[in-house]
mmCIF file of all heavy atoms in Angstrom:
data_model
loop_
_atom_site.group_PDB
_atom_site.id
_atom_site.type_symbol
_atom_site.label_atom_id
_atom_site.label_comp_id
_atom_site.label_asym_id
_atom_site.label_seq_id
_atom_site.Cartn_x
_atom_site.Cartn_y
_atom_site.Cartn_z
ATOM 1 N N ILE A 419 110.330 96.130 81.292
ATOM 2 C CA ILE A 419 110.748 97.482 81.170
ATOM 3 C C ILE A 419 111.064 97.752 79.668
ATOM 4 O O ILE A 419 111.814 97.021 79.028
ATOM 5 C CB ILE A 419 111.994 97.757 82.003
ATOM 6 C CG1 ILE A 419 111.655 97.637 83.524
ATOM 7 C CG2 ILE A 419 112.578 99.131 81.723
ATOM 8 C CD1 ILE A 419 112.880 97.787 84.430
ATOM 9 N N ASP A 420 110.389 98.764 79.147
ATOM 10 C CA ASP A 420 110.518 99.181 77.750
ATOM 11 C C ASP A 420 111.671 100.196 77.643
ATOM 12 O O ASP A 420 111.448 101.349 77.936
ATOM 13 C CB ASP A 420 109.233 99.727 77.162
ATOM 14 C CG ASP A 420 109.292 99.983 75.695
ATOM 15 O OD1 ASP A 420 110.308 99.753 75.050
ATOM 16 O OD2 ASP A 420 108.262 100.480 75.151
ATOM 17 N N LEU A 421 112.814 99.712 77.152
ATOM 18 C CA LEU A 421 114.017 100.680 77.066
ATOM 19 C C LEU A 421 113.871 101.587 75.981
ATOM 20 O O LEU A 421 114.764 102.539 75.768
ATOM 21 C CB LEU A 421 115.323 99.799 77.007
ATOM 22 C CG LEU A 421 115.577 98.988 78.316
ATOM 23 C CD1 LEU A 421 116.891 98.240 78.088
ATOM 24 C CD2 LEU A 421 115.750 99.885 79.484
ATOM 25 N N SER A 422 112.879 101.485 75.070
ATOM 26 C CA SER A 422 112.737 102.429 74.028
ATOM 27 C C SER A 422 112.089 103.717 74.500
ATOM 28 O O SER A 422 112.148 104.721 73.824
ATOM 29 C CB SER A 422 111.791 101.825 72.918
ATOM 30 O OG SER A 422 110.492 101.657 73.415
ATOM 31 N N VAL A 423 111.568 103.655 75.716
ATOM 32 C CA VAL A 423 110.962 104.879 76.383
ATOM 33 C C VAL A 423 112.079 105.571 77.202
ATOM 34 O O VAL A 423 112.682 104.843 78.026
ATOM 35 C CB VAL A 423 109.785 104.581 77.179
ATOM 36 C CG1 VAL A 423 109.154 105.785 77.848
ATOM 37 C CG2 VAL A 423 108.717 103.821 76.359
ATOM 38 N N PRO A 424 112.323 106.842 77.020
ATOM 39 C CA PRO A 424 113.329 107.480 77.874
ATOM 40 C C PRO A 424 113.002 107.373 79.401
ATOM 41 O O PRO A 424 111.822 107.271 79.809
ATOM 42 C CB PRO A 424 113.165 108.999 77.467
ATOM 43 C CG PRO A 424 112.566 108.970 76.102
ATOM 44 C CD PRO A 424 111.690 107.783 76.078
ATOM 45 N N LEU A 425 114.013 107.312 80.264
ATOM 46 C CA LEU A 425 113.828 107.070 81.644
ATOM 47 C C LEU A 425 112.907 108.032 82.289
ATOM 48 O O LEU A 425 112.035 107.621 83.027
ATOM 49 C CB LEU A 425 115.262 107.216 82.311
ATOM 50 C CG LEU A 425 115.250 107.115 83.885
ATOM 51 C CD1 LEU A 425 114.620 105.818 84.368
ATOM 52 C CD2 LEU A 425 116.575 107.300 84.392
ATOM 53 N N LYS A 426 113.051 109.363 81.932
ATOM 54 C CA LYS A 426 112.180 110.323 82.606
ATOM 55 C C LYS A 426 110.725 110.078 82.261
ATOM 56 O O LYS A 426 109.794 110.138 83.201
ATOM 57 C CB LYS A 426 112.593 111.741 82.225
ATOM 58 C CG LYS A 426 111.801 112.869 82.935
ATOM 59 C CD LYS A 426 112.312 114.209 82.494
ATOM 60 C CE LYS A 426 111.602 115.333 83.357
ATOM 61 N NZ LYS A 426 110.114 115.239 83.168
ATOM 62 N N GLU A 427 110.408 109.829 81.008
ATOM 63 C CA GLU A 427 109.078 109.555 80.569
ATOM 64 C C GLU A 427 108.476 108.341 81.231
ATOM 65 O O GLU A 427 107.368 108.291 81.681
ATOM 66 C CB GLU A 427 109.052 109.491 79.060
ATOM 67 C CG GLU A 427 107.588 109.223 78.504
ATOM 68 C CD GLU A 427 107.586 109.179 77.022
ATOM 69 O OE1 GLU A 427 108.619 109.603 76.346
ATOM 70 O OE2 GLU A 427 106.648 108.689 76.443
ATOM 71 N N ALA A 428 109.328 107.261 81.272
ATOM 72 C CA ALA A 428 108.875 106.030 81.916
ATOM 73 C C ALA A 428 108.648 106.206 83.362
ATOM 74 O O ALA A 428 107.640 105.681 83.939
ATOM 75 C CB ALA A 428 109.896 104.896 81.729
ATOM 76 N N ARG A 429 109.451 106.954 84.089
ATOM 77 C CA ARG A 429 109.260 107.233 85.499
ATOM 78 C C ARG A 429 108.031 108.001 85.674
ATOM 79 O O ARG A 429 107.232 107.724 86.692
ATOM 80 C CB ARG A 429 110.525 107.982 86.028
ATOM 81 C CG ARG A 429 110.446 108.308 87.518
ATOM 82 C CD ARG A 429 111.697 108.927 87.910
ATOM 83 N NE ARG A 429 112.007 110.175 87.143
ATOM 84 C CZ ARG A 429 113.227 110.679 87.003
ATOM 85 N NH1 ARG A 429 114.273 110.097 87.517
ATOM 86 N NH2 ARG A 429 113.389 111.811 86.340
ATOM 87 N N ASP A 430 107.789 109.056 84.856
ATOM 88 C CA ASP A 430 106.547 109.843 85.010
ATOM 89 C C ASP A 430 105.363 109.018 84.813
ATOM 90 O O ASP A 430 104.327 109.174 85.494
ATOM 91 C CB ASP A 430 106.603 111.027 84.031
ATOM 92 C CG ASP A 430 107.674 112.017 84.389
ATOM 93 O OD1 ASP A 430 108.159 112.011 85.494
ATOM 94 O OD2 ASP A 430 107.952 112.903 83.504
ATOM 95 N N GLN A 431 105.400 108.057 83.821
ATOM 96 C CA GLN A 431 104.226 107.196 83.604
ATOM 97 C C GLN A 431 103.945 106.338 84.779
ATOM 98 O O GLN A 431 102.793 106.133 85.159
ATOM 99 C CB GLN A 431 104.503 106.374 82.321
ATOM 100 C CG GLN A 431 104.425 107.189 81.072
ATOM 101 C CD GLN A 431 104.857 106.275 79.839
ATOM 102 O OE1 GLN A 431 105.192 105.117 79.978
ATOM 103 N NE2 GLN A 431 104.817 106.842 78.653
ATOM 104 N N LEU A 432 104.980 105.781 85.421
ATOM 105 C CA LEU A 432 104.838 104.920 86.544
ATOM 106 C C LEU A 432 104.318 105.700 87.712
ATOM 107 O O LEU A 432 103.375 105.235 88.397
ATOM 108 C CB LEU A 432 106.198 104.233 86.914
ATOM 109 C CG LEU A 432 106.247 103.395 88.171
ATOM 110 C CD1 LEU A 432 105.354 102.170 87.948
ATOM 111 C CD2 LEU A 432 107.580 102.948 88.503
ATOM 112 N N CYS A 433 104.792 106.890 87.924
ATOM 113 C CA CYS A 433 104.328 107.752 89.061
ATOM 114 C C CYS A 433 102.855 108.050 88.908
ATOM 115 O O CYS A 433 102.105 108.038 89.869
ATOM 116 C CB CYS A 433 105.175 109.000 89.185
ATOM 117 S SG CYS A 433 106.886 108.718 89.793
ATOM 118 N N ASP A 434 102.506 108.459 87.657
ATOM 119 C CA ASP A 434 101.066 108.819 87.351
ATOM 120 C C ASP A 434 100.191 107.578 87.611
ATOM 121 O O ASP A 434 99.109 107.719 88.194
ATOM 122 C CB ASP A 434 100.931 109.295 85.956
ATOM 123 C CG ASP A 434 101.470 110.642 85.729
ATOM 124 O OD1 ASP A 434 101.746 111.360 86.759
ATOM 125 O OD2 ASP A 434 101.645 111.125 84.601
ATOM 126 N N SER A 435 100.671 106.443 87.131
ATOM 127 C CA SER A 435 99.841 105.206 87.367
ATOM 128 C C SER A 435 99.610 104.876 88.799
ATOM 129 O O SER A 435 98.571 104.531 89.250
ATOM 130 C CB SER A 435 100.522 104.029 86.563
ATOM 131 O OG SER A 435 99.768 102.856 86.816
ATOM 132 N N PHE A 436 100.690 104.965 89.593
ATOM 133 C CA PHE A 436 100.574 104.754 91.019
ATOM 134 C C PHE A 436 99.760 105.717 91.749
ATOM 135 O O PHE A 436 98.947 105.372 92.559
ATOM 136 C CB PHE A 436 101.982 104.627 91.614
ATOM 137 C CG PHE A 436 101.935 104.469 93.164
ATOM 138 C CD1 PHE A 436 101.643 103.237 93.690
ATOM 139 C CD2 PHE A 436 102.174 105.596 93.967
ATOM 140 C CE1 PHE A 436 101.533 103.082 95.110
ATOM 141 C CE2 PHE A 436 102.082 105.476 95.352
ATOM 142 C CZ PHE A 436 101.799 104.205 95.929
ATOM 143 N N GLU A 437 99.941 106.963 91.372
ATOM 144 C CA GLU A 437 99.134 108.058 92.020
ATOM 145 C C GLU A 437 97.707 107.891 91.738
ATOM 146 O O GLU A 437 96.788 108.034 92.663
ATOM 147 C CB GLU A 437 99.577 109.391 91.472
ATOM 148 C CG GLU A 437 98.882 110.560 92.189
ATOM 149 C CD GLU A 437 99.500 111.936 91.742
ATOM 150 O OE1 GLU A 437 100.733 112.021 91.762
ATOM 151 O OE2 GLU A 437 98.694 112.787 91.394
ATOM 152 N N GLU A 438 97.320 107.562 90.502
ATOM 153 C CA GLU A 438 95.854 107.328 90.217
ATOM 154 C C GLU A 438 95.276 106.143 90.970
ATOM 155 O O GLU A 438 94.205 106.265 91.519
ATOM 156 C CB GLU A 438 95.749 107.040 88.701
ATOM 157 C CG GLU A 438 94.321 106.830 88.254
ATOM 158 C CD GLU A 438 94.201 106.494 86.771
ATOM 159 O OE1 GLU A 438 95.156 106.523 86.123
ATOM 160 O OE2 GLU A 438 92.995 106.231 86.346
ATOM 161 N N ALA A 439 96.049 105.061 90.961
ATOM 162 C CA ALA A 439 95.554 103.838 91.727
ATOM 163 C C ALA A 439 95.428 104.073 93.246
ATOM 164 O O ALA A 439 94.419 103.683 93.802
ATOM 165 C CB ALA A 439 96.501 102.666 91.425
ATOM 166 N N TYR A 440 96.442 104.814 93.792
ATOM 167 C CA TYR A 440 96.371 105.083 95.216
ATOM 168 C C TYR A 440 95.204 105.918 95.538
ATOM 169 O O TYR A 440 94.477 105.633 96.553
ATOM 170 C CB TYR A 440 97.703 105.729 95.524
ATOM 171 C CG TYR A 440 97.873 106.053 97.046
ATOM 172 C CD1 TYR A 440 98.581 105.196 97.894
ATOM 173 C CD2 TYR A 440 97.334 107.203 97.570
ATOM 174 C CE1 TYR A 440 98.728 105.485 99.212
ATOM 175 C CE2 TYR A 440 97.457 107.480 98.958
ATOM 176 C CZ TYR A 440 98.153 106.632 99.722
ATOM 177 O OH TYR A 440 98.256 106.903 101.078
ATOM 178 N N LEU A 441 95.076 107.054 94.844
ATOM 179 C CA LEU A 441 94.012 108.012 95.145
ATOM 180 C C LEU A 441 92.573 107.421 94.824
ATOM 181 O O LEU A 441 91.612 107.691 95.535
ATOM 182 C CB LEU A 441 94.220 109.337 94.401
ATOM 183 C CG LEU A 441 95.459 110.036 94.789
ATOM 184 C CD1 LEU A 441 95.625 111.358 94.038
ATOM 185 C CD2 LEU A 441 95.533 110.385 96.278
ATOM 186 N N ARG A 442 92.513 106.593 93.815
ATOM 187 C CA ARG A 442 91.269 105.923 93.512
ATOM 188 C C ARG A 442 90.856 105.071 94.706
ATOM 189 O O ARG A 442 89.641 105.080 95.102
ATOM 190 C CB ARG A 442 91.370 105.056 92.214
ATOM 191 C CG ARG A 442 90.023 104.475 91.808
ATOM 192 C CD ARG A 442 90.231 103.607 90.578
ATOM 193 N NE ARG A 442 90.902 104.232 89.463
ATOM 194 C CZ ARG A 442 90.231 104.924 88.571
ATOM 195 N NH1 ARG A 442 88.875 105.062 88.690
ATOM 196 N NH2 ARG A 442 90.833 105.533 87.636
ATOM 197 N N GLN A 443 91.833 104.277 95.227
ATOM 198 C CA GLN A 443 91.547 103.466 96.410
ATOM 199 C C GLN A 443 91.169 104.259 97.648
ATOM 200 O O GLN A 443 90.234 103.904 98.394
ATOM 201 C CB GLN A 443 92.725 102.492 96.686
ATOM 202 C CG GLN A 443 92.446 101.502 97.776
ATOM 203 C CD GLN A 443 91.394 100.473 97.387
ATOM 204 O OE1 GLN A 443 91.195 100.198 96.182
ATOM 205 N NE2 GLN A 443 90.620 100.019 98.355
ATOM 206 N N ALA A 444 91.865 105.441 97.769
ATOM 207 C CA ALA A 444 91.562 106.284 98.978
ATOM 208 C C ALA A 444 90.151 106.810 98.900
ATOM 209 O O ALA A 444 89.426 106.903 99.906
ATOM 210 C CB ALA A 444 92.590 107.422 99.006
ATOM 211 N N LEU A 445 89.650 107.190 97.702
ATOM 212 C CA LEU A 445 88.306 107.716 97.536
ATOM 213 C C LEU A 445 87.267 106.569 97.765
ATOM 214 O O LEU A 445 86.221 106.811 98.271
ATOM 215 C CB LEU A 445 88.190 108.353 96.183
ATOM 216 C CG LEU A 445 88.878 109.720 96.007
ATOM 217 C CD1 LEU A 445 89.033 110.118 94.569
ATOM 218 C CD2 LEU A 445 88.132 110.857 96.790
ATOM 219 N N ILE A 446 87.639 105.387 97.252
ATOM 220 C CA ILE A 446 86.696 104.231 97.453
ATOM 221 C C ILE A 446 86.519 103.965 98.973
ATOM 222 O O ILE A 446 85.428 103.794 99.464
ATOM 223 C CB ILE A 446 87.262 103.012 96.728
ATOM 224 C CG1 ILE A 446 87.161 103.188 95.232
ATOM 225 C CG2 ILE A 446 86.481 101.764 97.181
ATOM 226 C CD1 ILE A 446 87.817 102.066 94.394
ATOM 227 N N GLU A 447 87.683 103.915 99.660
ATOM 228 C CA GLU A 447 87.611 103.649 101.107
ATOM 229 C C GLU A 447 86.905 104.707 101.921
ATOM 230 O O GLU A 447 86.450 104.402 103.022
ATOM 231 C CB GLU A 447 88.978 103.321 101.673
ATOM 232 C CG GLU A 447 89.566 102.095 101.090
ATOM 233 C CD GLU A 447 90.885 101.678 101.862
ATOM 234 O OE1 GLU A 447 91.072 102.151 102.983
ATOM 235 O OE2 GLU A 447 91.576 100.757 101.365
ATOM 236 N N THR A 448 86.900 105.901 101.396
ATOM 237 C CA THR A 448 86.230 107.040 102.155
ATOM 238 C C THR A 448 84.890 107.426 101.652
ATOM 239 O O THR A 448 84.399 108.509 101.896
ATOM 240 C CB THR A 448 87.197 108.255 102.228
ATOM 241 O OG1 THR A 448 87.489 108.674 100.864
ATOM 242 C CG2 THR A 448 88.515 107.937 102.899
ATOM 243 N N GLY A 449 84.369 106.589 100.692
ATOM 244 C CA GLY A 449 83.034 106.854 100.119
ATOM 245 C C GLY A 449 83.033 108.126 99.205
ATOM 246 O O GLY A 449 82.114 108.737 99.069
ATOM 247 N N GLY A 450 84.221 108.429 98.669
ATOM 248 C CA GLY A 450 84.322 109.580 97.742
ATOM 249 C C GLY A 450 84.507 110.954 98.516
ATOM 250 O O GLY A 450 84.530 112.010 97.787
#
Side-chain angles (χ1 to χ4, degrees):
I419 296 175
D420 185 1
L421 294 178
S422 67
V423 179
L425 173 61
K426 184 179 185 302
E427 182 180 341
R429 181 176 57 203
D430 291 344
Q431 290 174 357
L432 178 64
C433 289
D434 286 347
S435 176
F436 174 75
E437 182 174 312
E438 179 183 357
Y440 182 97
L441 296 180
R442 187 185 301 277
Q443 186 64 31
L445 286 165
I446 290 173
E447 292 193 13
T448 59

